[in-house]
Amino acid sequence: REAWDYLERGGKRCVLVCHRRWGKDDLALHRTAVALHERVGTYWHMLPEYGQGRKAIWNAINAHTGKRRIDEAFPLELRKRTLDDEMMIEFKNGSIWQVVGSDRYDSLVGAGVAGVIFSEWSLANPAAWAFIAPMLEENNGWAVFIYTARGRNHGWSMYDRAMKDDGWFGLRQPANETGVFRPEALDAALKDYVALYGPDDGQALF
């Protein structure tokens, strides 16, 4: 709710470092659905690899409802057309939403994008932000970085920046703080990881 409220108030830079199954992509998809009706523009949902976007977002089905995630976030009644080959939706109000990959960021340069979701940011090509940031700055656009921690890489640095900069919003929620998983399930998972990968790597993966 904190993240949603921040973006709804016009926040421009949001970093969410949260555990698996937290609902990061779902929050991002539904917030984008609102944003693209508040302001007509182009919006991207970026995965580390273009092909990954089709599996994780475009074709993904919500296990709790049995419906495609994009159909839940972007009802057919709001759409003008849906282009499967390009993983793109054009809306009746003129906005465009598209799944893209950070592995192809060069092909995205020059677009007048209004908002970008950087999904699995800790695994993405960090150069993508360097090229996309100026476009967002020029267009007064927003960026949301959603991911789980993967060591002291660019994801770590981005979260650190968010926590120190008043113009950014940062949130970190590990699995033992949200109630998504039962405590006994977390304990069992930790034991499994440590047994399989050793104490250091097991703790890190957990």
Side-chain angles (χ1 to χ4, degrees), residues 59-132:
N59 290 336
I61 294 174
N62 184 335
H64 299 289
T65 65
K67 299 178 181 178
R68 289 178 70 183
R69 297 170 83 176
I70 61 170
D71 291 341
E72 289 182 328
F74 312 118
L76 298 178
E77 292 83 358
L78 301 176
R79 305 182 197 180
K80 180 178 179 180
R81 59 178 180 157
T82 302
L83 302 179
D84 184 70
D85 289 348
E86 300 179 39
M87 290 192 286
M88 184 178 78
I89 298 173
E90 182 180 352
F91 294 87
K92 292 178 180 179
N93 75 330
S95 285
I96 291 174
W97 174 85
Q98 189 169 16
V99 178
V100 298
S102 70
D103 57 339
R104 300 184 181 183
Y105 68 85
D106 281 341
S107 66
L108 303 173
V109 173
V113 66
V116 182
I117 303 296
F118 292 87
S119 183
E120 301 288 359
W121 170 244
S122 57
L123 299 177
N125 185 339
W129 173 237
F131 282 83
I132 292 172

Side-chain angles (χ1 to χ4, degrees), residues 16-29:
L16 303 177
V17 186
C18 305
H19 64 82
R20 295 290 174 200
R21 314 316 303 166
W22 184 90
K24 299 182 291 296
D25 280 304
D26 285 328
L27 182 148
L29 287 168

